[in-house]
Amino acid sequence: MDSRPDEQERCITMKYSSISIAYHSERKDNNYLVNLIDSPGHVDFSYEIFSALKMVDGALILIDVIEGICSQTESVIRQAWDEKIKCVLVFNKIDKLITTVQLDPQEAYEHLYNLLEKVNALMSSLILRDIEVNQINATNNLNRKKSSSSNNNEGSEINLDNIIEPEENDFYFSPEKGNVIFASALDNWAFTLETFSEKLCSKFKFKKEVLQKVLWGDYYYSPKTKKIYNAPPNERIRPIFVEFVLENIYKMYRMITIEKDFEKIKKIAESLKVTITSKELNQNNLDKQPLIILRTIMRQWLPIPQTVFDVLIDNCPNPIEGFKNKFELLFPHHKFSHNDFVTELKHKITNGIITGESVPTVAYISKMVGIDTKNIQGLEYVDKTITDVKFMAFARVFCGELKKGSELYVINPKHDAKNNNYDIIKFNFNSLYYFMGQYLSLVDVVPVGNIFSVGGLEKNVFKTATISSSFDCPSIIPLSTNKNSNIKVSITTENVKEIPLLIDGLKKLNRSDPAVEYYVQSNGEHILVTSGEVHLQRCMKDLEDYLPKVNISTS
């Protein structure tokens, strides 16, 4: 979904974007609406990740198996944990283990196993940290009760081991649990253990559920006895994952990119029930462009969309459970314990009621995004060659629903319903949109749990805001991004008369970008503060879009 020219040039994501996808799961024979947010991985755009985490219930954590686990990956996992996000691990670029690093299947398995252990070690430290904090809080509460009571009976000691082990079982990443995906985005394939357990159960004569539990780890299959062991029967037998998963993938790469045996490939394609035309699969293409043939076969044999969506459906909570998990983060108890609106809303959420006439609408705007008017359905534009940017809200419905024509409150972070009537306006939601990458598609209703957009709020919303049908709804607590703005530049225009236009553009940038700071020094200089060099370059590109005819210079 990288639609910006600078993103495509650098091959990195600079702004998070969203798309709403209707998916039919053949496995569950049900229809789902999946809201995906593609967030950056570059350290300069950490705030984009943190802002996106406020909007979601689940996340795909991508790990480059060549580079391994970097500090940014650890930071994202910690933030996702703190935001109570259910995560799925994705080991990407496995093709590079075959073609670039040239590990054999056994070495590749050991490498993946070690990476998984490192991630789970991080998860273990996060679980232990939270349990210790909770225990300290519980002890403090107990001491306060003892000091106000004449009863001095000692409480029983808590055994941490009895708490940690169940927690680890719930939150560890484990391929047999279905929360780990093995993938090559470049070569268009992905799989889980369930994928191969379905394909291999008839061969092993085991149930799919049983086979899934032994496809990863120290389990070995003996062709002689046709039994599975937890230790190798002899030196030649390798783990089942190596023998029957990785070896099959390695053979496919070797057969197409090295051996280039046309007849053999044709037979394999037929046995896998892969649809490939003679125009795609022929000796000439095999000699000149073997990777195209490889990707055509792999994306049908091990399709990415089906694998990813099925894993998300199985592992990520629905909007009811997601809102339950995040409720205390959105409305912290220490701040809103005496708020009647929050108390009543929590009661409904606890009972699984997040939609219906009795449920108030609550939505959150995480940021304002600049969208080219050419990409917004229903808007007229005059000149296709000119970039005309309209600021649209990037938001999610947490409970209730939004309908076209609804009149709701837009509540800014400083609003306090009990003490002031400021920082709150009534707004008519005449146009609602779903994000479709760089495009916005008109809709009449936005159900609970969905990402949406609305225009007309650029003058009323500064970075974040809350939408609600109730005046008594407090503002949702914005996510602390822990941003570290470290690059300051003085910015001006070549033509002094265009300074007012520059100020307007900088104010728009400041409103729409959570990590940007803008101020005017006592000497009249306009100072722009960003989180890094790449972030600064992106901000300058945004200013060029906002002010296409203004020549801007920095120092």
Side-chain angles (χ1 to χ4, degrees):
M1 290 191 285
D2 296 339
S3 58
R4 295 168 57 98
D6 48 356
E7 289 179 321
Q8 295 169 2
E9 182 181 343
R10 289 177 175 269
C11 296
I12 61 172
T13 303
M14 295 185 177
K15 283 188 176 183
Y16 69 75
S17 54
S18 177
I19 187 169
S20 299
I21 302 174
Y23 173 68
H24 176 75
S25 174
E26 294 182 359
R27 184 166 55 88
K28 292 183 176 289
D29 193 24
N30 206 348
N31 296 319
Y32 299 87
L33 181 60
V34 181
N35 295 274
L36 287 178
I37 297 179
D38 177 25
S39 63
H42 195 283
V43 67
D44 275 13
F45 307 111
S46 297
Y47 64 91
E48 290 274 351
I49 303 171
F50 301 152
S51 180
L53 287 173
K54 194 81 172 180
M55 312 289 284
V56 300
D57 302 320
L60 293 168
I61 305 293
L62 267 71
I63 292 182
D64 184 327
V65 296
I66 304 299
E67 294 183 3
I69 302 166
C70 59
S71 59
Q72 179 69 355
T73 307
E74 292 182 3
S75 175
V76 170
I77 292 174
R78 286 193 184 96
Q79 190 67 45
W81 172 266
D82 291 339
E83 283 293 307
K84 300 187 183 302
I85 303 296
K86 190 69 180 290
C87 293
V88 171
L89 201 62
V90 181
F91 285 131
N92 192 27
K93 298 188 180 179
I94 292 181
D95 60 292
K96 298 298 182 185
L97 298 179
I98 305 171
T99 59
T100 304
V101 186
Q102 295 183 346
L103 300 181
D104 64 37
Q106 179 66 36
E107 292 170 335
Y109 165 70
E110 291 171 358
H111 179 72
L112 294 172
Y113 190 91
N114 290 334
L115 281 178
L116 185 62
E117 288 294 299
K118 289 178 182 178
V119 177
N120 282 333
L122 174 59
M123 296 302 297
S124 183
S125 68
L126 294 173
I127 292 168
L128 182 60
R129 180 202 68 182
D130 281 8
I131 290 174
E132 289 177 343
V133 169
N134 291 337
Q135 188 182 26
I136 291 170
N137 292 336
T139 303
N140 291 338
N141 291 335
L142 184 63
N143 291 336
R144 280 195 294 270
K145 288 180 180 179
K146 283 182 179 181
S147 64
S148 62
S149 172
S150 58
N151 184 4
N152 292 322
N153 292 332
E154 291 289 333
S156 59
E157 184 180 353
I158 298 174
N159 187 348
L160 281 180
D161 292 336
N162 293 337
I163 302 174
I164 294 173
E165 190 172 347
E167 289 279 340
E168 288 179 339
N169 290 335
D170 287 339
F171 294 104
Y172 265 4
F173 294 107
S174 179
E176 58 266 30
K177 287 167 57 178
N179 60 5
V180 178
I181 298 174
F182 304 89
S184 166
L186 181 66
D187 288 344
N188 297 326
W189 57 266
F191 69 89
T192 62
L193 293 194
E194 185 177 5
T195 308
F196 273 90
S197 64
E198 289 176 347
K199 298 177 185 299
L200 297 172
C201 59
S202 58
K203 178 177 180 177
F204 283 102
K205 305 298 182 185
F206 289 118
K207 290 182 179 179
K208 186 187 76 172
E209 294 78 12
V210 174
L211 190 55
Q212 186 171 331
K213 292 180 180 179
V214 298
L215 273 179
W216 179 265
D218 295 326
Y219 294 100
Y220 305 83
Y221 178 76
S222 171
K224 187 175 181 179
T225 62
K226 300 188 183 302
K227 291 182 179 180
I228 293 174
Y229 300 88
N230 56 12
N234 58 64
E235 295 179 355
R236 291 176 298 175
I237 294 181
R238 298 175 295 177
I240 294 176
F241 186 80
V242 175
E243 199 74 50
F244 297 99
V245 178
L246 289 182
E247 191 61 52
N248 283 328
I249 294 172
Y250 269 69
K251 283 179 181 177
M252 190 70 76
Y253 273 81
R254 187 164 54 247
M255 182 173 54
I256 296 176
T257 62
I258 298 174
E259 297 173 358
K260 298 181 180 180
D261 188 328
F262 176 75
E263 292 300 328
K264 197 173 181 180
I265 296 170
K266 191 175 178 181
K267 288 180 180 178
I268 290 292
E270 290 174 356
S271 66
L272 295 175
K273 298 179 181 179
V274 169
T275 303
I276 184 167
T277 64
S278 56
K279 187 177 180 180
E280 294 172 308
L281 178 58
N282 56 63
Q283 192 63 54
N284 185 49
N285 285 347
L286 189 59
D287 293 334
K288 294 181 178 179
Q289 298 175 315
L291 284 178
I292 293 178
I293 295 174
L294 174 71
R295 290 164 185 169
T296 301
I297 293 174
M298 294 298 285
R299 72 165 173 255
Q300 294 185 59
W301 180 37
L302 304 171
I304 288 181
Q306 181 180 328
T307 301
V308 171
F309 285 140
D310 283 345
V311 170
L312 288 176
I313 290 166
D314 288 340
N315 289 275
C316 295
N318 59 44
I320 297 175
E321 292 300 319
F323 195 22
K324 278 184 186 178
N325 294 340
K326 298 172 77 74
F327 193 86
E328 288 292 338
L329 297 170
L330 301 176
F331 303 107
H333 179 74
H334 71 273
K335 187 170 182 179
F336 300 117
S337 58
H338 300 296
N339 186 296
D340 293 337
F341 175 87
V342 174
T343 303
E344 185 180 346
L345 183 60
K346 185 176 182 178
H347 177 71
K348 291 181 183 295
I349 302 307
T350 304
N351 293 321
I353 305 170
I354 62 171
T355 186
E357 294 182 0
S358 64
V359 179
T361 298
V362 177
Y364 177 69
I365 298 173
S366 66
K367 68 172 182 176
M368 301 295 290
V369 293
I371 305 289
D372 194 329
T373 53
K374 297 192 292 290
N375 298 334
I376 302 175
Q377 184 182 4
L379 287 187
E380 295 182 359
Y381 53 94
V382 179
D383 190 346
K384 294 182 180 181
T385 62
I386 297 176
T387 301
D388 182 16
V389 176
K390 186 175 178 65
F391 280 87
M392 310 291 290
F394 194 106
R396 177 200 163 154
V397 181
F398 281 106
C399 65
E401 64 178 14
L402 261 73
K403 293 182 179 179
K404 181 180 178 181
S406 299
E407 193 173 51
L408 305 173
Y409 293 100
V410 177
I411 307 163
N412 284 300
K414 293 182 180 179
H415 172 71
D416 185 347
K418 291 187 176 181
N419 299 322
N420 71 68
N421 293 331
Y422 303 106
D423 295 311
I424 184 171
I425 63 164
K426 258 198 170 184
F427 184 79
N428 197 308
F429 289 76
N430 288 321
S431 299
L432 299 171
Y433 303 88
Y434 275 157
F435 283 96
M436 303 300 291
Q438 61 181 312
Y439 302 98
L440 294 182
S441 179
L442 278 169
V443 293
D444 292 330
V445 180
V446 182
V448 65
N450 285 285
I451 306 293
F452 72 99
S453 182
V454 60
L457 291 171
E458 60 267 23
K459 293 182 180 179
N460 305 110
V461 174
F462 184 76
K463 298 186 186 294
T464 67
T466 303
I467 298 169
S468 181
S469 57
S470 172
F471 178 86
D472 296 322
C473 176
S475 176
I476 288 175
I477 301 297
L479 180 68
S480 175
T481 60
N482 297 320
K483 64 187 179 185
N484 182 23
S485 300
N486 51 28
I487 291 187
K488 298 181 181 180
V489 294
S490 174
I491 188 165
T492 187
T493 60
E494 294 181 5
N495 187 344
V496 179
K497 293 181 180 180
E498 294 175 337
I499 290 291
L501 295 175
L502 174 64
I503 294 173
D504 182 61
L506 287 169
K507 286 181 177 178
K508 287 181 178 179
L509 185 65
N510 195 28
R511 278 183 177 274
S512 64
D513 195 324
V516 158
E517 292 181 35
Y518 161 64
Y519 61 90
V520 182
Q521 291 192 148
S522 57
N523 62 1
E525 279 189 300
H526 298 274
I527 304 299
L528 182 66
V529 187
T530 65
S531 58
E533 184 179 349
V534 180
H535 182 214
L536 173 62
Q537 293 170 359
R538 197 204 72 185
C539 289
M540 296 306 299
K541 177 65 174 65
D542 287 342
L543 281 175
E544 290 175 8
D545 290 340
Y546 304 156
L547 311 168
K549 295 182 180 180
V550 177
N551 294 321
I552 301 171
S553 61
T554 61
S555 60

